[in-house]
């Protein structure tokens, strides 16, 4: 089995934001040379998540509205006593900071309307990492 590792770094400009990383993930899969296997996309952060869905501006705003609704910034969260970002931690915990995609014939298997995004929930941040690990043969 082959393992290919790639780390992306990026900055975010808003508290809540979606950053499309589909091209970078697909480039990593291509560079890996792996034909069949899996691709793990992981954000090693406690206040961000990785999601997959359509890159359409209205829907992207809807997703952020839903995140705000589910994890309101001004909720009575205990963590806010020390850090003021409990909502972002909750979003990361429940939405998940990791996604896995299958790879077949050298291509990431995803729906036409299934782009891959970093979901920033505690921005702006000058330094966010995304780890892409491709495993297979
Ligand atoms: Zn915190």
């Amino acid at each position: 089995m082959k393992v290919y590792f790639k780390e992306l770094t990026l900055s975010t400009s808003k508290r809540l934001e979606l950053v499309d990383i589909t091209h970078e993930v697909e480039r990593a899969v291509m560079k890996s040379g792996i034909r069949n296997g899996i691709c793990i996309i992981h954000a090693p952060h406690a206040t961000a998540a990785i999601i997959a869905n359509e890159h359409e501006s209205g829907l992207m705003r809807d997703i952020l509205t839903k995140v705000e609704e589910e994890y309101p910034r001004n909720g009575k969260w205990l963590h806010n006593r020390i850090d003021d970002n409990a909502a972002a931690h909750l979003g990361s915990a429940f939405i998940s900071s990791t996604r896995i995609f299958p790879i077949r014939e050298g291509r990431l298997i995803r729906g036409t309307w299934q782009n891959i995004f970093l979901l920033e929930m505690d921005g702006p941040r000058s330094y966010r990492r995304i780890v892409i690990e491709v495993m297979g043969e």
Side-chain angles (χ1 to χ4, degrees):
M1 189 185 71
K2 249 173 86 177
V3 178
Y4 175 87
F5 182 86
K6 166 85 184 167
E7 186 170 311
L8 306 176
T9 56
L10 52 84
S11 59
T12 57
S13 56
K14 296 182 188 122
R15 187 176 68 84
L16 274 181
E17 183 179 359
L18 285 166
V19 182
D20 194 323
I21 55 167
T22 312
H23 293 304
E24 288 83 354
V25 174
E26 290 194 326
R27 196 173 305 135
V29 171
M30 214 185 309
K31 281 189 85 177
S32 76
I34 290 167
R35 303 283 303 158
N36 297 295
I38 59 170
C39 177
I40 300 170
I41 303 137
H42 176 65
H45 297 291
T47 55
I50 301 291
I51 67 165
N53 220 289
E54 185 176 356
H55 189 134
E56 187 278 314
S57 60
L59 179 67
M60 288 164 70
R61 285 206 303 275
D62 292 339
I63 290 170
L64 299 180
T65 300
K66 184 65 182 168
V67 169
E68 184 70 54
E69 213 174 276
E70 286 293 317
Y71 311 104
R73 192 183 188 183
N74 299 322
K76 289 190 168 57
W77 314 117
L78 300 179
H79 182 67
N80 283 350
R81 295 180 305 195
I82 59 161
D83 204 13
D84 200 33
N85 65 354
H89 284 277
L90 292 166
S92 179
F94 291 108
I95 296 165
S96 182
S97 48
T98 306
R99 300 279 163 163
I100 300 170
F101 284 77
I103 295 165
R104 275 285 170 268
E105 308 303 331
R107 294 183 64 119
L108 198 71
I109 298 185
R110 61 179 183 92
T112 311
W113 313 120
Q114 202 173 32
N115 280 29
I116 304 163
F117 296 91
L118 171 76
L119 169 58
E120 172 64 81
M121 289 177 280
D122 194 28
R125 293 291 186 102
S126 57
Y127 182 69
R128 286 295 203 188
R129 293 161 62 206
I130 298 157
V131 166
I132 301 166
E133 190 156 308
V134 188
M135 286 183 285
E137 301 174 323

